[in-house]
Amino acid sequence: MSGRHRKHAHLSLKITGGLVAGAALASTFAMSAHADTPAQPALAAKAAALPQMPVPETGSMTTAGKPAGTVVKPGAKAAAPAAQKAAEVTAAQMIAKAKSQLGQKEDGKGETKFAHWYSKTSRAAETIARDGGDRKGYLKASWCDMFVSWTASEVGAQSIVGQDAWTVAHAKWFKANGKWGTTPKAGAIVFFDWGGSKSLDAIEHVGIVTGTSNGKINTIEGNTGNRVQLKTRSAGQIVGYGYPDYKAS
């Protein structure tokens, strides 16, 4: 993010890969410059100490009007137009759209088209209500999950991939809906902790699995080296995977 992650007065604490409530912690520590660079050792412990957020419901991923922890199982909204469209999306389509963005990078202000898109969505209003801040705060925030959300929206798969700017909440949404595991699959949403823990609360980064080779995981990720890139990752850096209900190819 143009040299280093910035602290924003309008955001609650921003961790690598997203936003998190807790403005009091925002001045406590600074984050790593690039999403593919391990964060400071104290990060995992601090992130784990944060309170859990309500689990969003399937589809819009909103908690509006729902008690904390309320979960709608995948497929419960299959009759909705968005869900019908998502049922026709394949993993290959998701990957192809993500690859079409290779080389997209931050501008001189540390902003991207993905963050600009997310800041204008109705989902942004929901995550602001959950995490604090305002729409402008997303423009210079870590954008790896906003890239995943943008890609899903472009192919009509937002109801099965989910939309978020905070990687921890996004991972917990998959797990709460029974779509979480530790086996890499093409099109899966992969969540990382550079410290090597398997704690969802320590997640720092997110990407899309394109395949595997020689025991490594091949991915496409936003906000790595301040741009969209293909990467090869060690399984030891991976907390787990979210599995969208793609159409069988």
Side-chain angles (χ1 to χ4, degrees):
M1 184 168 275
S2 298
R4 63 183 175 183
H5 287 314
R6 303 167 178 83
K7 289 182 288 184
H8 309 292
H10 297 298
L11 287 178
S12 303
L13 173 64
K14 180 189 64 171
I15 63 174
T16 305
L19 306 173
V20 59
L25 291 177
S27 61
T28 304
F29 57 96
M31 297 303 155
S32 168
H34 305 299
D36 58 351
T37 303
Q40 297 177 11
L43 175 61
K46 290 181 182 294
L50 294 170
Q52 291 189 357
M53 292 294 159
V55 178
E57 65 173 340
T58 298
S60 66
M61 291 186 68
T62 177
T63 55
K66 299 290 184 181
T70 296
V71 178
V72 178
K73 295 299 182 182
K77 293 186 176 181
Q84 289 176 342
K85 184 176 181 181
E88 299 301 315
V89 177
T90 65
Q93 289 173 312
M94 180 74 175
I95 292 169
K97 176 55 68 173
K99 284 185 174 180
S100 74
Q101 300 305 301
L102 286 171
Q104 286 285 341
K105 60 183 180 180
E106 297 175 8
D107 63 19
K109 296 184 292 184
E111 299 176 6
T112 66
K113 73 176 191 178
F114 311 112
H116 275 271
W117 165 82
Y118 188 87
S119 72
K120 297 173 184 177
T121 64
S122 59
R123 177 60 181 153
E126 296 167 3
T127 52
I128 287 167
R130 181 192 69 195
D131 302 330
D134 59 28
R135 290 181 185 271
K136 289 184 179 179
Y138 287 109
L139 300 183
K140 291 183 173 63
S142 299
W143 50 276
C144 57
D145 211 356
M146 289 187 274
F147 166 67
V148 171
S149 298
W150 178 92
T151 303
S153 180
E154 285 291 297
V155 297
Q158 58 267 38
S159 67
I160 58 173
V161 173
Q163 291 184 303
D164 216 297
W166 183 28
T167 51
V168 171
H170 202 164
K172 288 183 176 180
W173 176 74
F174 277 113
K175 187 167 186 179
N177 285 282
K179 297 298 179 181
W180 181 259
T182 57
T183 302
K185 300 177 183 180
I189 310 304
V190 54
F191 295 87
F192 302 92
D193 170 29
W194 307 132
S197 84
K198 299 303 179 184
S199 169
L200 274 68
D201 290 300
I203 288 170
E204 302 175 76
H205 186 53
V206 65
I208 302 166
V209 177
T210 62
T212 60
S213 58
N214 300 318
K216 300 287 187 178
I217 314 302
N218 300 321
T219 65
I220 182 166
E221 304 164 20
N223 197 31
T224 181
N226 295 337
R227 66 185 64 225
V228 178
Q229 294 191 55
L230 294 171
K231 301 293 290 186
T232 298
R233 300 294 193 182
S234 166
Q237 299 173 310
I238 295 170
V239 178
Y241 304 88
Y243 304 122
D245 282 323
Y246 294 118
K247 177 184 177 181
S249 55

